[in-house]
Amino acid sequence: MKFIKRLFIFSLICIILGVGTIFGFYYYVKPELPDVATLKDVRLQTPMQVYSQDGKLIAQFGEKRRIPVSYDEIPQELIDALIATEDSRFYDHFGFDPIGITRAAVVVVASGSASQGASTITQQLARNFFLSNEKKFMRKVKEIFIAVHIEQLLSKEEILELYINKIFLGYRSYGFGAAAQAYFGKDLQNLTLSEIGVLAGLPKAPSTMNPIYSIERATQRRNVVLSRMLSEKYISQEEFELARSEDIISQYHGAEIEISAPYVAEIARTWMVNRYGEDAYESGMKITTTVDSKLQKAAHIAAIKNLISYDERHGYRGAEKVLWEGEQPALDNDAIAKLLRRVPTYGELRPAVVLSLAEQSALVFVKGYGEQTINWDNLSWARPFRTDERQGKAPTSTADILAVGEQIWVRSAVLDEDEQAQAVSNEDALATDIAEIDLNDAEPQVAITWRLSQVPNANTAFVAMNPDNGAILSLVGGFNFVHNKFNRATQSVRQVGSSIKPFIYAAALDEGMTLASLVNDAPINQWDKSQGTAWRPKNSPPTYTGPTRLRIGLAQSKNVMAVRVLREVGLDDTRQYLTRFGFEIDQLPRSETIALGAGSLTPVKMAQGFSVFANGGYYVEPYYISRVEDPFGEVEFEASPVSICKQECPDEEQLAELALNGGATASDFNEQDVSNMAPNEQQPPRYAPQVLTEQTAFLAREMLYSNVWGGGNWREGTGWNGTGWRAQKLSRRDVGGKTGTTNDSKDAWYNGYGPGIVATAWVGFDDHQRKLGRTTVNSNLGKDQISGAEAGAKTAQPAWVEFMEVALDGVPVQSKRVPEDIVKVRIDRETGLLTNKFDSSTMFEYFKAGSEPTEYVQESLGDNLYSEGESSEGSLF
């Protein structure tokens, strides 16, 4: 009895000491324990996503990739696998498992190190939310107390839901929904039992037991999970054998980027961070841009195809590097594959290594595609590059171009294949997906004909916008965002060349000139006292036709005529007039060279300016973001773009009242925030201010129309073309535009419009001093090759035309809408005066009512008709 009594007293003392110790630990760490009640209102960190206006994913930002799932969406097999592997008594304990802790303690005593964990699912949840992973005694104590609090606060189902959405599982994946996509490219609900076993085994060591890092270790861990499920009777022996025999097929699946618009994504990212701070990355917000996926794809293909065509016709600059040569030992395919994994891909361009040469073909090892053959049709373009002005002889054999052991660049021979465009989207996803792994080890799903290529030295930009509200429909900021993140569409201020002329001619129309006004197309020789030299602007090509109508002068981009038109309007008045289009006056030099394009603007600004002509004279600002939603679909912000009012419009007094309430007045058209965003509340209408009369805009469009379609009658010998004649390929009489080439061909432009769209294409070197040069005919190529001096029509317009073929496909041809107070009269082609004739020497021309000629050609002929300085009708400017 004494022994029993003493044992009882000893046990009681131990219990009191144990409970006291527990309470002591509790009160010791209590001040440091977090408020687990926050789990009731937990907001899981999910990536910020950027979409096109039609719902295509453009980009995803944020280190933590997470796809939250509700408890009802979690497969029962995953729940069973986690409980069997991580916490078999999950439904029985109250936050921690004493048996598991005892087992771990025995291991510590026996081995002297904490090599075995004893954490329940609830404890792991506590650690993931509130603690670190360091193996320290006090961290474990805190973990237990927090787990107990969690069990008191949440149901078992809520705990499992949080755990499944929160835990890190490797490759930036947080939660099983994201891991299912990352490793298998599937939704969680579509996984097989084997795949579930792989994921359920990841919590133990997500960085080393995942199937991308090691198939062997992932397979071993999966089998452990399946064995535990079998032991706990969650699966049958047959299910176990079937799942265990299944091969694990896994590769990294990045965010499913559906359309390549990385430069637009960067604009959205910058705006969001400026608005919401760094928290935007994990806000789960959905940003819908103004970009149209069809038009963005068309712009990307057209711009990059055109840039590569420019680059190839100037010659091949040689291999990127030489890996081995001569008698040096060659690398085997495994070594080449490993080396190429470290070389980035740039959109269509993939790195490759030359393995062997035939007379007119080459065997190469392409990153992600293994051994491939390049045939002569896709090699023969590669004559040597000498300078931007000179190319070497056309090659006759593969040995003239390549050598074994060279690292080169290749691309698909067909740039606009659907599968190639999708490859572009996946490659550009690298810019926003942080995981540093190779996305290109998969075997190709389609046969691809490969072509020798190179990273272009020049660059490009392309912009398309809706002229009626300013929405940016497509934007390409350069050759490749991964290669260079500088956005040439919005940030590159370049000389615009002859693209500025339509705006100067519009000023002339408002000063009383007409489309039939004669301007002397003759050389100018003006002494410049400040420079001590004569200024002699020249036409390109240097041909002159004497007195020429204004319409022809713009359509054929006559430089000396533009200078004379500028003089008629006045330099200061012209510079001020150009600010109506949103151009900054400090970008427009106070010099007559402005008539030749000395002003500098961005491609977006050029598209904005041409929109005024396209929409009938209204100023609209470009904007990129149409809506921002929170993770629950609630609209945070919505764009408030301007609208064009042409009927029953408010008067000046009403516009002033609207301005007080946040609307726009006729003078409120200065540059605003790029996003044009407004809080999601009832906004007063914002009307686009009218900066040109409808009549002036119409007459300007007529000149831009002639830039494409020319005029006259070819059968009668009076036909002529504008510099933009290549756009006749569109077979549409409702398009117009203007070429632009700067001095020494350093910048090439084409700006134009069609129904409901304005687009600008630019090509040039980032080095402002480098010329686009010229090319000679390559004897290896066919008839349809561009040669001679580079210029807007040859270098930029092909991208514009190819884009417009897609943009206007299915869009009905728009009939010409002649505004009120525009009259149409028959004139003599040579003098611009009225005529009674009806032959090929005459034509109909449009005039503002009251500005049409009143004299007839036969009544006005005389020796002094073209005397410069006369102010009478028919005078020469």
Side-chain angles (χ1 to χ4, degrees):
M1 290 296 294
K2 285 183 179 182
F3 173 76
I4 295 175
K5 183 178 180 181
R6 288 173 181 173
L7 181 60
F8 174 76
I9 294 172
F10 176 76
S11 300
L12 185 61
I13 291 172
C14 289
I15 292 171
I16 293 171
L17 287 174
V19 173
T21 300
I22 292 172
F23 274 98
F25 273 126
Y26 175 74
Y27 283 104
Y28 177 76
V29 301
K30 183 178 180 181
E32 301 177 28
L33 295 180
D35 181 9
V36 296
T38 57
L39 292 176
K40 273 289 191 181
D41 190 32
V42 67
R43 188 169 183 172
L44 292 171
Q45 297 168 326
T46 55
M48 177 178 71
Q49 294 181 316
V50 182
Y51 290 87
S52 65
Q53 62 171 264
D54 49 338
K56 304 288 187 180
L57 182 62
I58 292 174
Q60 180 171 283
F61 294 97
E63 284 193 29
K64 296 182 178 180
R65 184 180 180 187
R66 180 178 278 116
I67 304 174
V69 292
S70 67
Y71 184 81
D72 292 337
E73 296 172 319
I74 302 170
Q76 186 60 46
E77 287 176 326
L78 176 59
I79 294 174
D80 295 341
L82 289 173
I83 290 175
T85 308
E86 298 294 324
D87 189 358
S88 61
R89 284 182 289 277
F90 173 72
Y91 290 108
D92 300 323
H93 62 66
F94 47 87
F96 70 97
D97 185 0
I99 297 175
I101 292 175
T102 302
R103 182 177 61 248
V106 169
V107 172
V108 170
V109 172
S111 64
S113 64
S115 60
Q116 182 171 328
S119 296
T120 64
I121 285 177
T122 313
Q123 286 176 259
Q124 292 181 52
L125 182 66
R127 182 168 65 248
N128 272 284
F129 268 101
F130 302 113
L131 301 170
S132 69
N133 286 321
E134 59 181 353
K135 292 186 177 182
K136 289 187 178 181
F137 179 73
M138 288 308 298
R139 192 271 293 167
K140 179 64 73 173
V141 171
K142 293 178 185 178
E143 182 183 291
I144 291 172
F145 288 132
I146 294 172
V148 172
H149 276 292
I150 291 174
E151 291 276 351
Q152 293 172 346
L153 185 70
L154 304 178
S155 68
K156 293 288 187 180
E157 289 75 16
E158 290 172 324
I159 291 170
L160 276 173
E161 181 179 319
L162 281 174
Y163 177 81
I164 285 171
N165 284 310
K166 176 70 176 177
I167 192 167
F168 174 65
L169 296 170
Y171 283 97
R172 310 289 181 181
S173 298
Y174 289 78
F176 284 86
Q181 282 290 341
Y183 295 113
F184 300 111
K186 297 181 179 180
D187 291 334
L188 195 58
Q189 296 83 358
N190 296 328
L191 296 177
T192 66
L193 178 59
S194 171
E195 291 165 342
I196 285 175
V198 172
L199 297 188
L202 290 178
K204 182 177 179 64
S207 297
T208 59
M209 289 186 172
N210 69 74
I212 295 175
Y213 180 86
S214 172
I215 284 287
E216 182 180 354
R217 296 189 68 176
T219 302
Q220 291 173 353
R221 182 60 180 165
R222 177 204 63 182
N223 293 343
V224 170
V225 172
L226 294 174
S227 296
R228 289 293 304 148
M229 293 182 74
L230 180 63
S231 299
E232 296 291 327
K233 300 187 179 350
Y234 287 122
I235 59 174
S236 66
Q237 184 68 37
E238 183 181 357
E239 290 173 317
F240 169 78
E241 295 294 345
L242 185 63
R244 194 174 185 277
S245 64
E246 184 177 309
D247 291 335
I248 298 175
I249 301 174
S250 175
Q251 66 180 40
Y252 182 76
H253 296 78
E256 295 181 8
I257 305 301
E258 298 173 277
I259 190 71
S260 177
Y263 293 95
V264 176
E266 177 61 14
I267 290 172
R269 184 199 68 81
T270 301
W271 186 88
M272 288 293 291
V273 171
N274 289 339
R275 176 76 66 167
Y276 296 102
E278 296 295 320
D279 290 344
Y281 291 118
E282 296 176 342
S283 65
M285 287 193 182
K286 176 182 177 181
I287 301 97
T288 301
T289 68
T290 57
V291 166
D292 178 280
S293 64
K294 173 188 172 184
L295 299 183
Q296 179 63 29
K297 177 182 175 181
H300 179 94
I301 291 174
I304 303 309
K305 179 180 179 180
N306 180 63
L307 178 64
I308 290 177
S309 295
Y310 162 83
D311 191 68
E312 288 186 357
R313 64 177 172 264
H314 281 262
Y316 182 57
R317 294 184 295 277
E320 185 74 13
K321 63 172 67 171
V322 177
L323 302 180
W324 74 88
E325 58 184 344
E327 300 300 320
Q328 294 177 335
L331 300 179
D332 61 28
N333 284 359
D334 288 341
I336 293 173
K338 185 176 181 180
L339 183 147
L340 292 182
R341 286 193 187 99
R342 298 193 294 270
V343 181
T345 55
Y346 299 132
E348 290 86 355
L349 268 60
R350 290 175 175 269
V353 175
V354 180
L355 300 179
S356 64
L357 304 180
E359 180 64 21
Q360 290 193 333
S361 66
L363 180 67
V364 298
F365 188 98
V366 181
K367 178 181 180 180
Y369 287 80
E371 293 187 1
Q372 302 287 318
T373 298
I374 307 178
N375 59 35
W376 184 244
D377 287 342
N378 292 305
L379 287 168
S380 59
W381 67 268
R383 55 184 176 174
F385 171 89
R386 302 300 187 204
T387 69
D388 291 324
E389 306 284 334
R390 294 176 50 246
Q391 301 82 44
K393 293 182 179 179
T396 59
S397 68
T398 308
D400 295 338
I401 306 167
L402 302 174
V404 173
E406 290 181 336
Q407 181 185 317
I408 60 173
W409 295 96
V410 298
R411 63 173 175 84
S412 167
V414 183
L415 282 176
D416 55 355
E417 291 178 350
D418 287 342
E419 63 272 12
Q420 188 66 16
Q422 184 60 47
V424 173
S425 298
N426 292 337
E427 294 298 343
D428 282 328
L430 283 169
T432 53
D433 202 315
I434 303 174
E436 297 178 353
I437 57 175
D438 181 23
L439 301 188
N440 307 299
D441 282 338
E443 289 300 314
Q445 299 301 308
V446 293
I448 295 179
T449 300
W450 295 98
R451 182 178 178 87
L452 176 65
S453 193
Q454 59 192 354
V455 177
N457 275 349
N459 228 301
T460 189
F462 196 96
V463 179
M465 67 180 282
N466 183 332
D468 295 327
N469 62 15
I472 295 296
L473 302 174
S474 62
L475 184 146
V476 177
F479 163 65
N480 182 266
F481 187 76
V482 176
H483 183 256
N484 190 310
K485 295 176 174 54
F486 180 65
N487 189 339
R488 292 153 193 84
T490 62
Q491 297 173 301
S492 188
V493 181
R494 305 295 298 227
Q495 286 196 347
V496 296
S498 297
S499 298
I500 201 70
K501 291 175 183 175
F503 307 101
I504 296 173
Y505 278 53
L509 293 172
D510 276 349
E511 286 294 314
M513 296 182 75
T514 71
L515 301 188
S517 294
L518 294 179
V519 180
N520 195 11
D521 180 27
I524 293 174
N525 190 341
Q526 176 180 314
W527 182 256
D528 187 337
K529 292 182 181 179
S530 63
Q531 298 294 326
T533 59
W535 182 48
R536 299 185 179 94
K538 298 178 180 179
N539 287 342
S540 180
T543 57
Y544 303 89
T545 56
T548 304
R549 284 179 286 116
L550 198 70
R551 179 192 282 266
I552 299 175
L554 180 64
Q556 294 190 335
S557 200
K558 300 283 190 177
N559 287 338
V560 295
M561 288 181 66
V563 174
R564 288 191 164 96
V565 170
L566 174 67
R567 290 175 175 176
E568 183 65 23
V569 178
L571 177 58
D572 290 336
D573 287 344
T574 298
R575 291 176 73 231
Q576 192 60 46
Y577 188 90
L578 296 186
T579 63
R580 298 186 183 196
F581 302 90
F583 303 158
E584 293 85 357
I585 199 165
D586 61 354
Q587 298 289 350
L588 307 169
R590 194 176 184 277
S591 165
E592 287 186 343
T593 58
I594 192 178
L596 308 181
S600 298
L601 300 165
T602 65
V604 165
K605 280 290 184 184
M606 289 304 296
Q608 173 183 310
F610 273 80
S611 290
V612 177
F613 298 133
N615 65 27
Y618 295 84
Y619 176 87
V620 295
E621 290 184 339
Y623 74 105
Y624 305 84
I625 301 173
S626 62
R627 189 172 63 257
V628 177
E629 298 175 3
D630 68 15
F632 307 102
E634 294 295 324
V635 177
E636 290 277 330
F637 289 96
E638 192 150 18
S640 180
V642 296
S643 58
I644 293 176
C645 182
K646 295 186 178 180
Q647 293 181 343
E648 299 182 2
C649 301
D651 56 28
E652 290 296 324
E653 184 177 341
Q654 292 171 315
L655 282 172
E657 183 178 351
L658 283 171
L660 294 176
N661 295 315
T665 69
S667 61
D668 181 20
F669 58 90
N670 293 325
E671 187 174 358
Q672 301 173 8
D673 185 276
V674 72
S675 66
N676 228 5
M677 298 293 291
N680 185 29
E681 57 187 54
Q682 190 64 36
Q683 295 292 316
R686 300 180 64 233
Y687 293 116
Q690 188 167 7
V691 296
L692 297 184
T693 65
E694 193 175 359
Q695 292 75 27
T696 298
F698 171 79
L699 295 176
R701 286 200 304 276
E702 280 295 298
M703 292 187 285
L704 297 174
Y705 165 84
S706 294
N707 181 259
V708 173
W709 288 101
N713 189 315
W714 292 96
R715 286 176 296 182
E716 299 292 338
T718 60
W720 55 273
N721 265 327
T723 58
W725 60 267
R726 288 172 176 82
Q728 293 176 16
K729 177 183 178 183
L730 297 171
S731 301
R732 297 185 67 110
R733 294 278 176 167
D734 56 355
V735 298
K738 182 68 185 75
T739 52
T741 309
T742 62
N743 193 32
D744 293 328
S745 296
K746 293 177 181 177
D747 296 270
W749 298 79
Y750 196 79
N751 308 272
Y753 64 88
I757 194 166
V758 167
T760 289
W762 169 85
V763 176
F765 288 96
D766 288 336
D767 177 359
H768 288 236
Q769 301 305 311
R770 190 167 173 182
K771 303 173 185 178
L772 287 166
R774 61 186 302 116
T775 58
T776 56
V777 172
N778 186 336
S779 59
N780 282 344
L781 305 181
K783 298 179 181 179
D784 298 329
Q785 56 178 302
I786 294 172
S787 61
E790 299 289 349
K794 297 178 181 179
T795 315
Q797 191 184 20
W800 188 91
V801 172
E802 184 166 339
F803 170 80
M804 281 298 193
E805 283 184 305
V806 176
L808 299 180
D809 183 35
V811 177
V813 174
Q814 194 175 75
S815 58
K816 187 175 294 185
R817 298 175 184 174
V818 181
E820 294 180 0
D821 296 327
I822 289 288
V823 297
K824 186 178 182 181
V825 299
R826 183 176 288 276
I827 64 168
D828 175 67
R829 291 182 185 275
E830 185 176 352
T831 65
L833 299 179
L834 295 175
T835 180
N836 289 317
K837 295 182 179 180
F838 294 90
D839 58 19
S840 60
S841 68
T842 70
M843 63 173 286
F844 281 105
E845 187 57 280
Y846 294 100
F847 298 86
K848 293 180 182 179
S851 70
E852 67 272 20
T854 57
E855 297 182 39
Y856 283 82
V857 61
Q858 63 267 31
E859 299 172 354
S860 305
L861 294 175
D863 293 338
N864 298 319
L865 175 63
Y866 302 129
S867 299
E868 202 163 346
E870 289 185 8
S871 58
S872 62
E873 191 171 17
S875 64
L876 184 65
F877 293 95

